[in-house]
Amino acid sequence: MSGITRVPGLLYGGDYNPEQWPEEVWAEDVRLMREAGVNFVTVGVFSWARLQPGPDEWDFGWFDRVLGLLAEHGVAADIATATASPPAWLVRAHPEVLPVTADGVRLEFGSRQHYCPSSAVYRHAAARLARTIASRYRDHPALAMWHVHNEYGDHVTECFCEASAADFRRWLRDRYGDVAALNAAWATDFWSQRYGTFEEIEPPRAAPGPVNPTQALDWRRFCSGALLACYLGEKAQLDEVAPGVPVTTNFMSMFKPLDYWTWAAHEDVVSDDAYPDPADPDAHVGAAMNYDLMRSLKGGRPWLLMEQAPSAVSWRPVNAPKPPALARLWSLQTVAHGADGVLHFQWRASRAGAEKFHSALLPHRGTAGRQWASTVALGGDLARLAEVAGTRIASDVAIVLDWNSWWALELDDHPSARLRLRDLVASWYAALAGRNVGVDFVPPDGDLAGYRLVLAPNLYLMSDATAARFTSYVDGGGRLVCGFFSGIVDEHDHVHLGGYPAPLRDVLGVVVDEFRPVPDGASVPVSLGGRAVTATMWSEWLEALTAEVAGTYTSGELDGRPAVTRNAYGEGRAWYVGCHLGGEIGLVLDEALADAGARPVLDAAPGVEVTRRDGPGNSYYFLLNQAGRECETPAPDGVDLLTGAAVRRTLHLPPYGAAVVKTARA
Ligand code: GAL
């Protein structure tokens, strides 16, 4: 069993949109699905207008026949609640369903995802459709999973209409209780922003100048929650009508608008849509980071790649195809990072519509040509890896990721507008990935106890409680590396006074006297462990209190001052990195990894990515040649499940080649 659905082994397939095709085509679809080894498809994602042609009209006959064909051919269905694009009749009868931008523009019908998250009409109609679908198909033999909505927050993440304003006020009342508490949290004595009643409050619409930062931060929290409420409204129907069927909604990787820690807590299975750009030679690193996050969102449980492009997408300015070997490698990479299924957008390429030039498992050309050969080959590869399903990944290192801090960091009017959380995290992640050190993500209130090393590339916003947990983690023997501009404000975006980063000062043993962001194009030289490196984007006037100096600025006003420090604290040790080192952060991480006793999964050849999944009796090493040139790499002794060949000490991998070596449990 894969563990994530009733379907055994790894899942393989994609979005199936039969409503775009005459019925004669469906028989060919299911026959070819079988031929390719497809065992799982998502159906009905954009079918609302077809399933419910009018307020009280329903048309399930065609959908019954689609699901019947799938069941007959042994293809399991991830049945969508179909609520991502409300039909024309609904928006014409209730124009207030359409979302409004910060400038007051009401967005029109004619694309998709056109709904206000706070609209009672939308929420009611969506819950009703979800319930109707669940009631009809709860016992259907094809049903394996419910797919709620599609990519919440895609296109529309916020709405500024009157219904949203009222919902925001209700949310604020729940959060603060009375307006005095809100005034204190929002620091409304600044610029005469004091409110007398909740009724005076509006969303942060287009305004003459900077809006109140705590209002903006609360708005981000509210918007993530408003979409979550839509999801929960549908999920409640599914759980009531069809208890026991796993429920998911597809995420969009490391997506700023939605706090996926909060969301994942309400999912049975985390699923993700991933579209790394084949034209970007480093895309696999960012992809791996996203996959590690997806696995971490439910504490390491297998997740599901819900969508990827078999080759090119259609929505970049220039849409590069994936060479077949790269497409295969990137599919295997998702399994390497804990996915128990590889699904695609989409099964059959659309003939018309906005996505007609998006690749598909079954292209316009049909079964002749290279894409279909790749489609069939991938089905074979995934079948050979069936026993990997359900196995887990153990990591020594954790990166702390907090959406609240992300939102607050990227508000306006900071020392530098260049700080972007995803980029900061990615630069640290890339250093670890290059060393094949396994990484989990943890939320700020997550359990750190099982990790040898905890990394906080940036936690601008930090409550006293989080800082205390980090401090006691280090006190108890943990290793922590903390990046600049962390521990600066509390949960209301008010500065922690007394010298930055006040709540972490003891554990880090430093105080920051002044931020010195580095102008675009400039850099600051740093000496780090005897190596000359450069910092860009950020530097600080840093004073070591109890910490030792591990790196020093070597010119200008900061000449001789600490840039990187390490502090023995209790049984553990904490590093502070006061500047942006880009890829050179690896030098600091090397020291911390060694001190923590954290090891790479395997010392492989350069360019070979390695992960390990562990089952009860066996381990599975994934060796992925991301380098695009052939190589000879050290490998564990075992059997390559993809070829059946025995592996002894080394492996030859062609460009973009991969091996999955099964060994006795490591
Ligand atoms: C996703 C979406 C799919 C399809 C795909 C194309 O964001 O969920 O419906 O549009 O992109 O790449």
Side-chain angles (χ1 to χ4, degrees):
M1 287 292 271
S2 72
I4 56 175
T5 70
R6 61 172 176 74
V7 181
L10 298 175
L11 306 179
Y12 179 44
D15 278 27
Y16 178 37
N17 297 305
E19 66 272 37
Q20 297 176 12
W21 296 93
E23 202 156 334
E24 311 82 82
V25 175
W26 304 348
E28 184 189 54
D29 283 328
V30 287
R31 180 175 60 75
L32 291 176
M33 284 176 192
R34 253 186 115 109
E35 191 178 313
V38 163
N39 58 8
F40 195 84
V41 294
T42 302
V43 271
V45 171
F46 292 108
S47 301
W48 192 340
R50 286 285 297 266
L51 293 174
Q52 191 185 7
D56 292 306
E57 277 172 66
W58 301 92
D59 180 5
F60 282 108
W62 68 276
F63 208 58
D64 293 349
R65 294 194 291 284
V66 168
L67 289 173
L69 276 172
L70 291 173
E72 244 173 69
H73 288 77
V75 179
D78 171 34
I79 301 183
T81 57
T83 53
S85 281
W89 58 259
L90 182 71
V91 304
R92 294 305 176 228
H94 303 278
E96 74 278 13
V97 161
L98 293 170
V100 174
T101 67
D103 299 322
V105 175
R106 199 174 276 283
L107 300 176
E108 243 309 346
F109 180 85
S111 176
R112 65 174 174 182
Q113 301 268 8
H114 40 269
Y115 63 93
C116 158
S118 294
S119 161
V121 171
Y122 169 74
R123 285 193 192 178
H124 177 261
R128 182 179 177 217
L129 179 60
R131 189 178 188 89
T132 309
I133 289 174
S135 307
R136 188 167 185 100
Y137 298 113
R138 64 183 163 196
D139 297 320
H140 198 285
L143 173 66
M145 192 183 279
W146 297 121
H147 181 291
V148 176
H149 192 271
N150 192 63
E151 291 191 340
Y152 279 103
D154 184 25
H155 306 306
V156 176
T157 59
E158 55 188 354
C159 172
F160 293 84
C161 74
E162 287 309 323
S164 298
D167 200 20
F168 185 42
R169 288 189 281 268
R170 181 204 48 74
W171 184 90
L172 291 169
R173 264 195 209 96
D174 286 353
R175 183 173 176 83
Y176 294 109
D178 60 54
V179 80
L182 177 136
N183 278 313
W186 286 18
T188 52
D189 284 326
F190 184 83
W191 285 356
S192 190
Q193 291 168 349
R194 178 164 280 273
Y195 293 102
T197 67
F198 281 99
E199 291 314 309
E200 293 169 0
I201 302 171
E202 296 290 341
R205 298 198 178 98
V211 300
N212 181 305
T214 316
Q215 178 189 10
L217 176 58
D218 273 345
W219 176 251
R220 297 258 65 82
R221 291 170 169 142
F222 161 76
C223 290
S224 177
L227 284 169
L228 180 59
C230 292
Y231 168 77
L232 292 175
E234 294 192 31
K235 182 172 189 287
Q237 304 295 329
L238 303 175
D239 286 347
E240 198 183 308
V241 174
V245 179
V247 178
T248 193
T249 184
N250 43 347
F251 288 166
M252 287 181 281
S253 301
M254 202 175 274
F255 180 61
K256 182 179 165 190
L258 303 187
D259 177 355
Y260 282 153
W261 293 118
T262 322
W263 280 69
H266 300 285
E267 284 193 306
D268 298 313
V269 176
V270 166
S271 62
D272 188 41
D273 297 353
Y275 290 93
D277 184 356
D280 172 2
D282 296 323
H284 63 280
V285 181
M289 177 172 84
N290 292 332
Y291 305 154
D292 285 342
L293 173 62
M294 291 303 130
R295 185 186 69 249
S296 302
L297 287 173
K298 280 199 93 67
R301 283 199 229 162
W303 56 283
L304 179 58
L305 182 75
M306 185 61 84
E307 289 181 24
Q308 68 168 348
S311 184
V313 298
S314 55
W315 40 262
R316 291 194 172 100
V318 177
N319 297 299
K322 289 180 192 169
L326 186 69
R328 172 181 186 257
L329 182 71
W330 284 7
S331 293
L332 295 172
Q333 187 193 23
T334 68
V335 182
H337 287 269
D340 268 8
V342 182
L343 310 179
H344 298 78
F345 183 85
Q346 57 179 329
W347 162 251
R348 183 186 279 274
S350 300
R351 188 172 181 203
E355 294 180 323
K356 58 183 168 297
F357 295 116
H358 196 289
S359 60
L361 290 172
L362 180 58
H364 292 148
R365 189 179 173 193
T367 57
R370 293 184 306 153
Q371 177 58 58
W372 181 249
S374 297
T375 298
V376 173
L378 182 57
D381 281 330
L382 295 175
R384 283 183 276 278
L385 298 183
E387 66 183 81
V388 171
T391 57
R392 299 287 192 110
I393 291 175
S395 306
D396 284 342
V397 181
I399 294 178
V400 184
L401 180 67
D402 180 6
W403 263 265
N404 282 272
S405 184
W406 187 354
W407 295 327
L409 175 73
E410 297 183 12
L411 293 173
D412 295 336
D413 306 295
H414 281 188
S416 169
R418 298 288 176 260
L419 303 187
R420 287 290 168 264
L421 186 84
R422 195 178 187 288
D423 296 343
L424 295 174
V425 172
S427 69
W428 290 39
Y429 181 91
L432 295 167
R435 289 158 173 75
N436 283 318
V437 172
V439 189
D440 287 348
F441 284 86
V442 289
D445 57 352
D447 185 8
L448 306 178
Y451 296 103
R452 290 174 183 270
L453 176 63
V454 171
L455 309 178
N458 178 273
L459 282 174
Y460 161 73
L461 177 153
M462 190 182 281
S463 66
D464 286 325
T466 300
R469 293 182 50 262
F470 282 15
T471 303
S472 75
Y473 167 74
V474 177
D475 195 23
R479 297 331 196 236
L480 171 72
V481 187
C482 184
F484 59 82
F485 209 42
S486 292
I488 304 299
V489 298
D490 67 11
E491 53 272 48
H492 300 309
D493 199 32
H494 296 195
V495 171
H496 289 293
L497 298 178
Y500 322 116
L504 294 173
R505 222 166 37 221
D506 286 350
V507 70
L508 297 175
V510 294
V511 64
V512 177
D513 189 65
E514 182 181 60
F515 306 128
R516 300 176 63 89
V518 179
D520 294 348
S523 63
V524 184
V526 172
S527 168
L528 188 58
R531 292 260 306 263
V533 300
T534 51
T536 55
M537 199 154 71
W538 190 270
S539 64
E540 298 176 336
W541 184 286
L542 181 66
E543 293 171 18
L545 302 174
T546 56
E548 303 164 58
V549 177
T552 314
Y553 296 105
T554 56
S555 85
E557 215 189 325
L558 291 176
D559 194 11
R561 298 218 58 80
V564 179
T565 59
R566 85 173 74 76
N567 192 42
Y569 186 85
E571 302 292 307
R573 212 180 309 279
W575 285 255
Y576 179 68
V577 186
C579 54
H580 182 57
L581 291 170
E584 308 287 5
I585 188 67
L587 295 175
V588 181
L589 298 183
D590 278 339
E591 185 183 307
L593 287 163
D595 192 54
R599 297 269 315 129
V601 180
L602 188 81
D603 287 312
V608 177
E609 179 184 357
V610 188
T611 68
R612 194 185 77 221
R613 293 183 66 160
D614 298 321
N618 294 101
S619 289
Y620 303 88
Y621 287 84
F622 286 72
L623 290 93
L624 311 170
N625 183 7
Q626 301 282 5
R629 54 176 185 272
E630 64 180 332
C631 75
E632 218 49 47
T633 179
D637 292 350
V639 176
D640 178 3
L641 291 182
L642 293 171
T643 59
V647 178
R648 294 272 299 154
R649 282 193 296 277
T650 61
L651 247 179
H652 176 86
L653 290 174
Y656 302 129
V660 181
V661 183
K662 176 180 178 179
T663 67
R665 167 90 196 223

